[in-house]
Amino acid sequence: MDFFEFVIIVVAIAVVGRIVNSYFKCKAAARKARQDDEESAAEHLAQLARLEERIKVLERIVTDEQFDLRQRFRNL
């Protein structure tokens, strides 16, 4: 084995090692991003449920007959 062949093999091993290392880092980052997305989705679903409940309460208030009567008194 020639000295230059040895150098080329060492460089090739180093390059392949960097590629493999980058691959695993990218895969770990994608896994973390997926977990963050799932947590964010769960938070948004909880917020949506709270907003739907508030809308139901507001609809109940607005459709109440007393609300219409109060509005008429205020307009006078």
Side-chain angles (χ1 to χ4, degrees):
M1 183 194 275
D2 191 320
F3 175 73
F4 291 110
E5 290 175 347
F6 179 73
V7 170
I8 290 173
I9 291 172
V10 169
V11 169
I13 290 172
V15 169
V16 169
R18 298 269 301 183
I19 291 171
V20 170
N21 189 20
S22 295
Y23 171 78
F24 286 120
K25 280 184 179 180
C26 182
K27 199 166 186 169
R31 190 177 310 122
K32 183 175 180 345
R34 202 171 324 126
Q35 288 174 345
D36 291 346
D37 288 345
E38 290 172 0
E39 291 172 0
S40 178
E43 290 173 7
H44 287 154
L45 286 175
Q47 183 180 14
L48 182 62
R50 288 191 305 269
L51 289 173
E52 286 177 346
E53 186 60 34
R54 290 179 68 185
I55 289 172
K56 287 178 185 177
V57 170
L58 288 173
E59 286 175 344
R60 220 175 311 135
I61 291 171
V62 170
T63 57
D64 188 17
E65 293 175 7
Q66 294 293 326
F67 179 79
D68 187 40
L69 185 61
R70 283 187 222 128
Q71 284 293 93
R72 287 183 183 176
F73 279 126
R74 285 184 192 149
N75 290 338
L76 292 176

